[in-house]
Amino acid sequence: MTTHADDLTQRIGAPVELAGVAVRRPSKVREGIDPALITTDATALLKRGDIDIAIEVIGGIEPARTLITTAFEQGISVVSANKALLAQDGAALHAAAEAGGRDLYYEAAVAGAIPLVRPMRESLAGDKINRVMGIVNGTTNFILDKMDSTGAGYQEALDEATALGYAEADPTADVEGYDAAAKAAILAGIAFHTRVRLDDVYREGMTEVSAADFASAKRMGCTIKLLAILERAADGESVTARVHPAMIPLSHPLASVREAYNAVFVEAEAAGRLMFYGPGAGGAPTASAVLGDLVAVARNKLAEATGPGESAYTQLPVSPMGDVVTRYHISLDVADKPGVLAQVATTFAEHGVSIDTVRQQGKDGEASLVVVTHRAPDAALSGTVEALRKLDTVRGVASIMRVEGE
Amino acid sequence: MTTHADDLTQRIGAPVELAGVAVRRPSKVREGIDPALITTDATALLKRGDIDIAIEVIGGIEPARTLITTAFEQGISVVSANKALLAQDGAALHAAAEAGGRDLYYEAAVAGAIPLVRPMRESLAGDKINRVMGIVNGTTNFILDKMDSTGAGYQEALDEATALGYAEADPTADVEGYDAAAKAAILAGIAFHTRVRLDDVYREGMTEVSAADFASAKRMGCTIKLLAILERAADGESVTARVHPAMIPLSHPLASVREAYNAVFVEAEAAGRLMFYGPGAGGAPTASAVLGDLVAVARNKLAEATGPGESAYTQLPVSPMGDVVTRYHISLDVADKPGVLAQVATTFAEHGVSIDTVRQQGKDGEASLVVVTHRAPDAALSGTVEALRKLDTVRGVASIMRVEGE
């Protein structure tokens, strides 16, 4: 039986040698790693002169950014899993890689082990991607799946996710959508051959999603997912990038993505509707993606070539959220008296928003009104909601949720 | 707005020029193609001296094989969509490509536009694939999906598929599993870094699948799909490759692949369970895959490098179907009298096959017995069925179907 190092050698065409491992805590026992390879000085390791490829799995902005830049200056190619850094400074890093004539690969930065960066950068290089819609955060999908399947509230589901190790002690990056937004920025840039930075991505977390929202979703034949949605405008002249919870029909393939799995739908002009599914996080899946990149970069090195660099030639502007065309599911608490529906309907009409369905429920002088709109610009929809809040017959807006995937 | 040719230029880093198109019927009107580029002499086109990349979408063994070989001799890289040829002569074609220092890419040969060859060859190059299970033929999936959703019989569903253009006038290659078997051979070679030829793939078609089988599947919470299943043996020393209809649980992601869509499940040691889903055939999806390969091969050409070639270093033997471990769902017509079940159970025990569930139904002296086994080698299972046929209380074996995906 061949060992794993032998497999890598066969697949690359030359042996790879682990030259050093830079860590913060050198005293920690690391099974299978020769202690002589451990150092705390990453910069010295990069400058040693005999390194071909560096793997960066530190995460965060610094010192990762400086180290990657140092690597390129030293003529070292880089495999990174750093979504935050790539979403913030991808353009500068790609430029540094190109200046050094080296590779920057980062399959592990988005959706863990799911091959996504390479298929989008390479397999679909002859096609035109119009839309990407994905579940790119396993923690929030686990929480939402729990809420859907057990009827639990957000806090209860979060507690279970934390207990099982799916959520970190501070879950902010996941539940507020920052992690998904970073991945969205990276994917949008690749999909549309343009530059999308983290700041360009509209972001809403999922901490406000309630058991009542799931009940509403079920009545519509939907479930709720935290989605990253990247779209090319109908005229092709701009793109949008956003992360928010949304209702999607149970018939949509993303609806059946359970637990902490990730899945990304890609709609391309010629290829049609593709989906990529798998574990979105975890040590072993990340290692699979990193080693896949390592093999590619090592092969490029042997061939004295580089793989595809940044492709941002379209330079399409990123439109604000207000321009995104979507649908709203709105739950209103209203006075239970005649004329309320007419007043509400007038408000929608005044904002140019057309109503798909209305459902009224009343008891004891209180009533609720659930309105699902047709497609309209987000600015018109949110303007409608603001106007509804000001109606004296509307006691409150219980929830607003976008409806996608139809 | 950029044109498509401009996009290709940007993504490759140099313009691509259509040098010629070899066709069988030059008089056919081809919109958008300069008639001066059309020729019937493919060999002369390849030998003209100014060709860098040839795209082969003829299909079949000859003249495709001779033309591809000629291309490599002329230092021309090849993008092919030819599954039959690759499944039969992949090793020789890869050797010819390597001898000429050129690329052979064939993403379009398997599962149409779904990026599958590249992710398996490159993204998972640092991982160990243990199992691939996929729906790789859209025609048969359309037919089986119709039978499942409407209760139609095989012939009725086939007629509809033919009327809608999903099945060819002679559907043999699809319904007898030859098309799927060719794709299975290609995928098995890539997955296990070995050589698997079409002849190594066990193959059963789906023409015998009946409405009664779907009724049985439903009772078990299953549906029926024509699957390509490629497995590494538990000891890692051999592989198996097979195509046959099988019952899979409705909870399995492949169960919800509808109409003519394809989907492939890949289980890798580190990455875990991945799925790739999309349209498996059609002109536009095939074009997407071919153009993706064209961009990659053109980039390699510019870098004076080649992409990954054949990786067959493991040279694992392909075991016969008898060694495959699976489960059987067997429907027997039996005499409705005491002792039949005991006799049947004894036959299973004699062959070392353990029974999972038995269901008896009787009326008017006739009875049926449905047995679902535990996992056992296919040879033991088929031996059991042969022995059952010889029992005087067994009037006939109504159907046998393997159960997978659990």
Side-chain angles (χ1 to χ4, degrees), chain B residues 93-123:
Chain B
L93 295 178
H94 276 109
E98 201 177 338
R102 292 296 173 263
D103 275 325
L104 171 61
Y105 274 53
Y106 46 89
E107 184 66 77
V110 184
I114 308 174
L116 194 59
V117 173
R118 181 175 282 100
M120 285 177 62
R121 285 218 290 189
E122 302 181 40
S123 304

XYZ file of all heavy atoms in Angstrom, chain B residues 93-123:
228
model
N -4.540 7.120 -25.939
C -4.653 8.533 -26.287
C -3.819 9.397 -25.349
O -3.141 10.331 -25.777
C -6.113 8.983 -26.237
C -7.061 8.352 -27.263
C -8.474 8.868 -27.040
C -6.594 8.642 -28.688
N -3.881 9.101 -24.043
C -3.062 9.849 -23.087
C -1.576 9.680 -23.406
O -0.797 10.637 -23.310
C -3.341 9.375 -21.662
C -4.534 10.039 -21.032
N -5.711 9.384 -20.787
C -4.736 11.307 -20.607
C -6.586 10.214 -20.231
N -6.011 11.391 -20.108
N -1.180 8.449 -23.777
C 0.228 8.209 -24.105
C 0.633 9.020 -25.336
O 1.726 9.602 -25.375
C 0.461 6.712 -24.346
N -0.261 9.095 -26.314
C 0.042 9.870 -27.529
C 0.156 11.361 -27.199
O 1.021 12.061 -27.725
C -1.041 9.635 -28.578
N -0.725 11.835 -26.315
C -0.664 13.243 -25.903
C 0.667 13.525 -25.222
O 1.329 14.522 -25.502
C -1.832 13.566 -24.958
N 1.058 12.614 -24.318
C 2.292 12.813 -23.568
C 3.506 12.766 -24.503
O 4.429 13.578 -24.376
C 2.408 11.749 -22.478
C 3.347 12.183 -21.365
C 3.413 11.170 -20.240
O 2.474 10.368 -20.095
O 4.434 11.199 -19.511
N 3.486 11.803 -25.442
C 4.595 11.696 -26.391
C 4.743 12.973 -27.203
O 5.844 13.414 -27.511
C 4.377 10.494 -27.317
N 3.619 13.588 -27.551
C 3.662 14.836 -28.317
C 3.838 16.065 -27.443
O 3.914 17.185 -27.942
N 3.879 15.870 -26.107
C 4.000 17.011 -25.191
C 2.784 17.919 -25.246
O 2.896 19.135 -25.116
N 1.620 17.313 -25.447
C 0.401 18.101 -25.609
C -0.683 17.692 -24.616
O -0.566 16.693 -23.932
C -0.120 17.963 -27.054
C 0.799 18.625 -28.085
C 0.860 20.146 -27.865
N 1.836 20.811 -28.721
C 3.080 21.134 -28.353
N 3.516 20.843 -27.134
N 3.889 21.754 -29.189
N -1.741 18.503 -24.570
C -2.842 18.271 -23.635
C -3.963 17.443 -24.259
O -4.275 17.596 -25.447
C -3.458 19.610 -23.210
C -2.720 20.245 -22.041
O -2.235 19.492 -21.174
O -2.648 21.487 -21.986
N -4.596 16.609 -23.444
C -5.853 15.950 -23.798
C -6.839 16.261 -22.681
O -6.661 15.806 -21.553
C -5.644 14.427 -23.926
C -6.913 13.582 -24.081
C -7.679 13.972 -25.343
C -6.554 12.087 -24.129
N -7.830 17.092 -22.969
C -8.840 17.472 -21.979
C -10.197 16.951 -22.440
O -10.477 16.931 -23.645
C -8.901 19.000 -21.834
C -7.897 19.584 -20.843
C -6.540 19.293 -20.936
C -8.319 20.434 -19.824
C -5.631 19.836 -20.039
C -7.410 20.990 -18.919
C -6.065 20.678 -19.030
O -5.169 21.228 -18.136
N -11.065 16.566 -21.518
C -12.330 15.938 -21.934
C -13.446 16.088 -20.898
O -14.172 15.161 -20.603
C -12.094 14.453 -22.256
C -11.265 13.720 -21.234
C -11.850 13.098 -20.140
C -9.872 13.673 -21.346
C -11.091 12.439 -19.195
C -9.095 13.018 -20.403
C -9.715 12.391 -19.331
O -8.955 11.738 -18.397
N -13.571 17.290 -20.337
C -14.631 17.544 -19.357
C -16.013 17.212 -19.925
O -16.897 16.722 -19.212
C -14.582 19.016 -18.922
C -15.553 19.413 -17.829
C -15.259 18.733 -16.500
O -14.322 19.156 -15.795
O -15.979 17.778 -16.177
N -16.234 17.478 -21.214
C -17.554 17.271 -21.816
C -17.903 15.798 -22.001
O -19.054 15.469 -22.274
C -17.636 17.993 -23.159
N -16.919 14.904 -21.833
C -17.194 13.487 -22.072
C -18.030 12.864 -20.962
O -18.686 11.848 -21.169
C -15.874 12.724 -22.223
N -18.008 13.459 -19.778
C -18.730 12.897 -18.640
C -19.655 13.941 -18.026
O -19.210 15.014 -17.629
C -17.756 12.405 -17.543
C -18.525 11.745 -16.411
C -16.733 11.436 -18.122
N -20.946 13.645 -17.969
C -21.918 14.491 -17.276
C -21.942 15.924 -17.810
O -22.107 16.878 -17.061
C -21.663 14.483 -15.763
N -21.845 16.049 -19.112
C -22.054 17.321 -19.803
C -21.336 18.491 -19.187
O -20.108 18.489 -19.066
N -22.093 19.514 -18.794
C -21.489 20.747 -18.311
C -21.071 20.667 -16.858
O -20.438 21.591 -16.354
C -22.484 21.899 -18.472
N -21.413 19.594 -16.164
C -21.064 19.540 -14.745
C -19.561 19.429 -14.600
O -18.962 18.485 -15.108
C -21.717 18.330 -14.037
C -23.214 18.288 -14.306
C -21.435 18.379 -12.541
C -23.891 17.041 -13.753
N -18.929 20.394 -13.936
C -17.486 20.260 -13.726
C -17.234 19.044 -12.845
O -17.658 18.995 -11.700
C -17.102 21.557 -13.002
C -18.192 22.525 -13.330
C -19.429 21.672 -13.409
N -16.600 18.043 -13.404
C -16.453 16.773 -12.697
C -15.055 16.204 -12.954
O -14.360 15.818 -12.026
C -17.531 15.803 -13.198
C -17.763 14.546 -12.383
C -18.160 14.898 -10.963
C -18.843 13.701 -13.039
N -14.647 16.173 -14.225
C -13.320 15.658 -14.555
C -12.258 16.543 -13.900
O -11.341 16.047 -13.242
C -13.113 15.598 -16.083
C -11.677 15.230 -16.418
C -14.084 14.595 -16.709
N -12.375 17.880 -14.044
C -11.381 18.783 -13.471
C -11.383 18.712 -11.945
O -10.321 18.541 -11.347
C -11.582 20.213 -13.962
C -10.546 21.190 -13.400
C -10.677 22.580 -13.968
N -10.126 22.697 -15.305
C -10.809 22.683 -16.423
N -12.119 22.568 -16.398
N -10.216 22.817 -17.579
N -12.544 18.839 -11.264
C -12.516 18.712 -9.801
C -11.907 17.386 -9.332
O -11.152 17.366 -8.375
C -13.995 18.812 -9.412
C -14.594 19.657 -10.475
C -13.864 19.287 -11.747
N -12.228 16.287 -10.032
C -11.682 15.009 -9.581
C -10.191 14.900 -9.896
O -9.412 14.377 -9.096
C -12.458 13.842 -10.202
C -13.822 13.651 -9.544
S -14.811 12.338 -10.311
C -13.780 10.927 -9.999
N -9.781 15.395 -11.075
C -8.361 15.300 -11.448
C -7.503 16.283 -10.673
O -6.331 16.042 -10.433
C -8.165 15.610 -12.949
C -8.585 14.521 -13.871
C -7.656 14.384 -15.074
N -7.710 15.456 -16.037
C -7.086 15.395 -17.233
N -6.398 14.331 -17.573
N -7.178 16.384 -18.066
N -8.086 17.463 -10.339
C -7.252 18.529 -9.775
C -7.640 18.905 -8.347
O -6.811 18.873 -7.448
C -7.298 19.745 -10.709
C -6.824 19.380 -12.120
C -6.812 20.555 -13.091
O -6.419 21.666 -12.687
O -7.215 20.361 -14.259
N -8.910 19.256 -8.115
C -9.287 19.715 -6.766
C -9.065 18.615 -5.734
O -8.696 18.886 -4.599
C -10.748 20.150 -6.740
O -10.986 21.142 -7.708
